[in-house]
């Protein structure tokens, strides 16, 4: 059972927790900051506002987008193992970046770099391709879409490896880094505006559709009898979730595991009702990535450790533990 | 005009013709059992009525509307509730949450449950003896418990028509009777109930209308007394059947037909 007052209270606590996590993460690092120093100004404030906070805000945005879109892909494909990258979004975005780098595109349009633009286009184009293939194998209520995504993913990954082998050594350094997922402190304002707008719109649509997503999780036949029109709901939710993922990918590269671990953990704690699940996924995904990126930042101060490595290293075992201990009552025979 | 009208209905499934030229009328307020051998198309008929499948040709009208038609898509949920034969849930919603899903589209501006919805859900769960299961995840229930939860959801949907696909197949004897009594009460409230079943004895006790479907589109439809006869059952199932009356209730005892018994001995 869920009431608006209860949900708002939970979201309020979540936002407070997220703010505390972000503040704490911003203070620690190779150069420890103090609240006093920030308030007084100069070096501390400069590092806080110009280096650490932008990067943490990026972690918040990307984490929230990946976690909530992961939850949606899991219900749309009725498969607990689905994740935001499963539909070829990752390899499509990777291929886009690879092509942009190999073609020597150094230009930027406004302040939008060729790389993030190509990542975004590659992600959306591949998703469209998988959607199109899914039309032949059956989109809803079966493994058709996932199989299509897996096949496209493997094929594009092979193309990426082929291009890597052909490229000159120095040329692809950026791409490799990008494929591991990283968060930068220096994101341009315009990209921020576009990303926040895209992610916000996608999330808003999904939240609005969340009661229908509950019903859709029972399968298309039952959903139809309960008033959902799957042919209408599925493409809208699919596009919204794809936009959310693509926005995250173009900002940060491929950060794995967030879209899988966070929705499952949140489901184990708060239950599968999407009206609560989606906001909680966004909040916990944001916290998770903020903490992971802070660990990546301080673990090896000289080197830039990609945050994707941390999410996979920390997330994998944590998730397995949760799954072994608690999954039985929450998941059916599908797993 | 009949509440349910089916005219010249044809349906093929993967190249296999399930039925063709099926015509049928059912009045409002009937409690109608549907029986017949496996593969005769009982489930398919219910799914066509629920709009889950589109007929290859022919017409279906429920209350003057067509379930497969355009504008009908959403309003089918206001007209017919459906209880599936079996359903594997992926996520562990509690039984209460599952039943509450019936209320989402009763109220067009639904986002959170209203007090009225809660009362209706509680009452539906009371009628199907699922109150104790309310907070248990649907994934942890036995087949019979799950069927009762789905039936509660169908009741909470408050539709004039209930389409039930073998809703009692996993229930124990006591719950079969209790659920039949609950359905009888709904029947008295003028709801139309179509229920696929293999249990002719219980159907004969509770239903007032019967459809017997056989392979190749053979069909008997009519008042339960006229349809459930030794000849009809025998010819639809390809068996021999004896009917006995005990305390005013009719019982059907199946026997292997001549020849069939011999085949089983090999």
């Amino acid at each position: 059972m869920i009431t608006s007052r209860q949900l708002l209270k939970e979201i309020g606590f979540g936002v407070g927790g997220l703010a505390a996590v972000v503040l704490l993460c911003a203070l620690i690092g190779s150069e420890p900051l103090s609240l006093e120093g920030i308030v007084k100004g100069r070096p501390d404030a400069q590092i806080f506002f110009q280096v650490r906070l932008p990067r943490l805000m990026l972690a918040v945005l990307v984490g929230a987008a990946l976690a909530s879109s992961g939850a949606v892909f899991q219900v749309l494909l009725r498969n607990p193992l689905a994740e935001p990258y499963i539909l070829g979004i990752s390899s499509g975005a990777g291929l886009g970046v690879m092509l942009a780098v190999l073609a020597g595109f150094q230009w930027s349009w406004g302040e939008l770099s060729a790389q993030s633009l190509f990542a975004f286009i590659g992600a959306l184009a591949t998703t469209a391709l998988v959607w199109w293939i899914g039309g032949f194998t059956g989109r809803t209520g079966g493994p058709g879409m996932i199989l299509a995504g897996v096949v496209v993913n493997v094929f594009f990954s092979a193309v990426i490896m082929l291009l890597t082998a052909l490229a000159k050594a120095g040329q692809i350094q950026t791409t490799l880094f990008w494929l591991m997922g990283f968060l930068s402190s220096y994101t341009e304002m315009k990209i921020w505006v576009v990303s926040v707008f895209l992610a916000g719109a996608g999330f808003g649509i999904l939240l609005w559709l969340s009661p229908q997503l509950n019903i859709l999780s029972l399968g298309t036949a039952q959903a139809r009898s309960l008033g959902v029109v799957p042919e209408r709901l599925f493409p809208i939710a699919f596009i919204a979730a794809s936009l959310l993922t693509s926005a995250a990918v173009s900002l940060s590269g491929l950060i794995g595991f967030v879209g899988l671990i966070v929705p499952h953990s949140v489901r184990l704690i708060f239950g599968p009702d999407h009206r609560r699940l989606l906001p909680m996924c966004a909040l916990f995904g944001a916290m998770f990535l903020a903490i992971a990126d802070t660990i990546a930042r301080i673990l090896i101060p000289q080197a830039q450790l990609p945050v994707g490595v941390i999410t996979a290293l920390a997330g994998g075992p944590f998730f397995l533990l949760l799954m072994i201990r608690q999954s039985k009552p929450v998941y059916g025979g599908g797993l | 005009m009949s509440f349910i009208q089916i005219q010249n209905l044809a349906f093929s499934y993967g190249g296999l013709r399930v039925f063709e030229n099926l015509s049928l009328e059912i009045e409002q307020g009937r409690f109608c059992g549907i029986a017949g051998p496996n593969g005769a198309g009982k489930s398919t008929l219910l799914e066509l009525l629920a709009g889950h499948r589109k007929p290859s040709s022919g017409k279906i009208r429920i209350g003057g509307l067509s379930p497969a038609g355009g504008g009908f898509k959403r309003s089918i949920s206001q007209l017919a509730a459906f209880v599936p034969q079996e359903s594997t849930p992926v996520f562990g919603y509690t039984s209460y949450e599952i039943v509450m899903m019936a209320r989402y589209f009763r109220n067009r501006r639904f986002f959170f449950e209203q007090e009225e919805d809660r009362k209706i859900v509680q009452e539906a769960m009371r009628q199907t003896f699922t109150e104790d299961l309310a907070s248990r995840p649907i994934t942890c229930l036995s087949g019979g418990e799950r069927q009762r939860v789905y039936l509660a959801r169908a009741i909470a949907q408050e539709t004039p028509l209930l389409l039930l696909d073998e809703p009692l197949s996993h229930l124990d004897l006591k719950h079969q009777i209790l659920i039949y009594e609950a359905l009888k009460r709904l029947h008295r409230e003028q709801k139309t109930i179509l229920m696929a079943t293999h249990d002719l004895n219980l159907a004969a006790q509770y239903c007032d209308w019967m459809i017997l479907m056989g392979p190749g589109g053979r069909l008997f439809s009519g008042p339960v007394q006229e349809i459930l006869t030794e000849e009809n059952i025998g010819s639809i199932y390809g068996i021999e059947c004896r009917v006995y009356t005990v305390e005013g209730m009719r019982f059907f005892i199946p026997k292997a037909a001549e020849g069939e018994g011999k085949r089983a001995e090999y």
Side-chain angles (χ1 to χ4, degrees):
Chain A
M1 200 160 71
I2 188 170
T3 60
S4 53
R5 187 186 294 175
Q6 192 187 354
L7 185 64
L8 283 175
K9 205 168 91 184
E10 284 168 9
I11 292 176
F13 274 117
V15 171
L18 177 62
V21 164
V22 166
L23 186 65
L24 212 67
C25 286
L27 294 182
I28 46 184
S30 53
E31 187 70 42
L33 307 179
S34 68
L35 277 178
E36 202 189 342
I38 295 168
V39 175
K40 279 191 180 153
R42 243 109 21 108
D44 275 19
Q46 205 168 11
I47 297 174
F48 183 80
F49 285 111
Q50 288 179 14
V51 182
R52 298 217 179 137
L53 207 54
R55 181 160 161 172
L56 278 162
M57 292 319 286
L58 193 62
V60 164
L61 180 67
V62 170
L66 287 179
S68 48
S69 64
V72 172
F73 279 122
Q74 281 148 24
V75 64
L76 286 182
L77 302 173
R78 288 194 79 208
N79 191 324
L81 295 177
E83 46 117 19
Y85 298 144
I86 201 160
L87 296 165
I89 292 179
S90 55
S91 58
L95 193 61
V97 170
M98 198 82 178
L99 290 174
V101 171
L102 286 181
F105 287 147
Q106 296 296 333
W107 51 264
S108 52
W109 179 54
E111 280 146 353
L112 195 61
S113 76
Q115 259 188 51
S116 52
L117 185 68
F118 267 67
F120 188 73
I121 293 171
L124 278 189
T126 316
T127 318
L129 177 70
V130 170
W131 175 267
W132 180 71
I133 298 171
F136 299 100
T137 57
R139 286 182 187 128
T140 52
M145 283 288 271
I146 289 192
L147 285 177
V150 167
V151 170
V152 169
N153 238 341
V154 169
F155 182 78
F156 279 8
S157 300
V159 175
I160 291 176
M161 279 188 263
L162 181 72
L163 291 176
T164 312
L166 293 175
K168 290 183 210 98
Q171 215 173 356
I172 51 163
Q173 188 62 34
T174 13
T175 323
L176 289 180
F177 215 67
W178 188 91
L179 285 173
M180 287 187 280
F182 73 102
L183 295 165
S184 147
S185 297
Y186 309 102
T187 309
E188 294 295 343
M189 201 59 209
K190 275 183 190 165
I191 297 183
W192 262 110
V193 172
V194 172
S195 307
V196 168
F197 177 77
L198 273 180
F203 185 79
I205 291 169
L206 291 173
L207 192 62
W208 175 245
L209 294 175
S210 58
Q212 296 196 45
L213 292 174
N214 287 349
I215 294 182
L216 190 72
S217 76
L218 304 174
T220 47
Q222 286 186 64
R224 210 183 293 277
S225 278
L226 291 169
V228 167
V229 185
E231 303 79 33
R232 211 182 295 160
L233 173 64
F234 195 84
I236 297 174
F238 188 85
I239 291 170
S242 303
L243 273 179
L244 214 52
T245 311
S246 304
V249 160
S250 62
L251 283 172
S252 65
L254 302 178
I255 299 175
F257 257 107
V258 180
L260 194 62
I261 309 163
V262 176
H264 283 281
S265 309
V266 172
R267 227 181 256 120
L268 288 170
I269 301 166
F270 293 97
D273 189 330
H274 290 81
R275 290 170 292 184
R276 178 188 280 143
L277 182 68
L278 292 184
M280 288 301 145
C281 274
L283 288 166
F284 279 89
M287 278 184 231
F288 177 72
L289 201 58
I291 293 170
D293 189 50
T294 305
I295 294 171
R297 191 158 51 81
I298 60 179
L299 207 59
I300 312 171
Q302 296 82 20
Q304 281 288 347
L305 193 61
V307 65
V309 175
I310 301 292
T311 57
L313 280 179
F318 171 72
F319 179 57
L320 276 181
L321 207 74
L322 263 183
M323 211 166 76
I324 291 164
R325 286 185 56 185
Q326 297 191 45
S327 72
K328 273 175 202 149
V330 181
Y331 297 105
L335 223 151
Chain B
M1 200 174 80
S2 296
F3 183 55
I4 298 175
Q5 290 184 306
I6 298 174
Q7 281 170 7
N8 304 323
L9 186 71
F11 183 78
S12 301
Y13 185 71
L16 184 79
R17 193 162 294 162
V18 182
F19 35 67
E20 61 183 329
N21 231 359
L22 182 127
S23 295
L24 197 62
E25 290 199 5
I26 296 163
E27 303 288 332
Q28 184 145 24
R30 292 271 185 230
F31 187 173
C32 173
I34 305 174
N38 301 135
K42 302 184 293 290
S43 299
T44 309
L45 180 63
L46 290 174
E47 284 164 2
L48 283 162
L49 284 166
H52 297 175
R53 299 179 185 280
K54 282 196 177 114
S56 312
S57 67
K59 262 190 203 162
I60 298 177
R61 289 264 180 280
I62 303 172
L65 295 165
S66 155
F72 196 75
K73 277 178 178 170
R74 176 150 287 166
S75 54
I76 185 74
S77 68
Q78 319 276 321
L79 201 55
F82 184 83
V83 174
Q85 202 175 92
E86 244 169 307
S87 163
T88 320
V90 178
F91 298 112
Y93 291 95
T94 63
S95 304
Y96 183 88
E97 287 172 324
I98 292 278
V99 179
M100 187 55 90
M101 287 185 198
R103 304 301 305 166
Y104 283 14
F105 281 101
R106 296 304 299 182
N107 182 351
R108 285 295 300 227
R109 295 170 66 186
F110 186 94
F111 196 82
F112 293 106
E113 293 94 332
Q114 311 297 316
E115 195 48 44
E116 187 205 351
D117 298 316
R118 282 185 202 123
K119 279 195 187 124
I120 290 164
V121 165
Q122 269 156 18
E123 172 57 23
M125 295 189 86
R126 198 187 59 76
Q127 285 183 36
T128 52
F129 312 95
T130 48
E131 297 146 296
D132 296 345
L133 310 175
S135 59
R136 301 239 324 258
I138 188 89
T139 41
C140 294
L141 301 185
S142 75
E145 290 172 327
R146 208 175 283 167
Q147 281 183 321
R148 271 154 44 208
V149 171
Y150 288 136
L151 195 64
R153 190 182 66 193
I155 293 170
Q157 216 172 324
E158 295 190 310
T159 53
L161 174 62
L162 292 174
L163 302 168
L164 317 174
D165 195 356
E166 295 183 35
L168 312 176
S169 56
H170 294 295
L171 296 195
D172 59 63
L173 272 180
K174 179 186 162 196
H175 278 110
Q176 283 190 27
I177 300 293
L178 290 176
I179 294 296
Y180 257 113
E181 290 293 331
L183 291 174
K184 200 162 120 186
R185 280 196 298 276
L186 294 169
H187 179 209
R188 277 199 217 105
E189 295 166 14
Q190 284 304 302
K191 291 212 189 219
T192 310
I193 304 171
L194 260 69
M195 181 173 82
T197 179
H198 283 301
D199 193 332
L200 298 177
N201 294 319
L202 281 171
Q205 278 185 51
Y206 286 95
C207 297
D208 65 349
W209 201 262
M210 197 72 205
I211 296 173
L212 272 182
M213 296 177 83
R218 285 192 316 135
L219 189 109
F220 299 105
S221 169
V224 76
Q225 295 284 341
E226 294 172 22
I227 296 301
L228 290 182
T229 62
E230 289 180 354
E231 299 80 47
N232 287 351
I233 295 169
S235 84
I236 283 285
Y237 286 96
I239 56 166
E240 280 183 26
C241 181
R242 292 277 169 274
V243 180
Y244 299 95
T245 306
V246 181
E247 293 180 14
M249 295 185 281
R250 299 197 305 155
F251 290 91
F252 307 89
I253 313 292
K255 286 167 65 183
E258 203 61 38
E260 291 286 326
K262 281 191 189 125
R263 206 171 75 190
E265 278 166 26
Y266 286 110

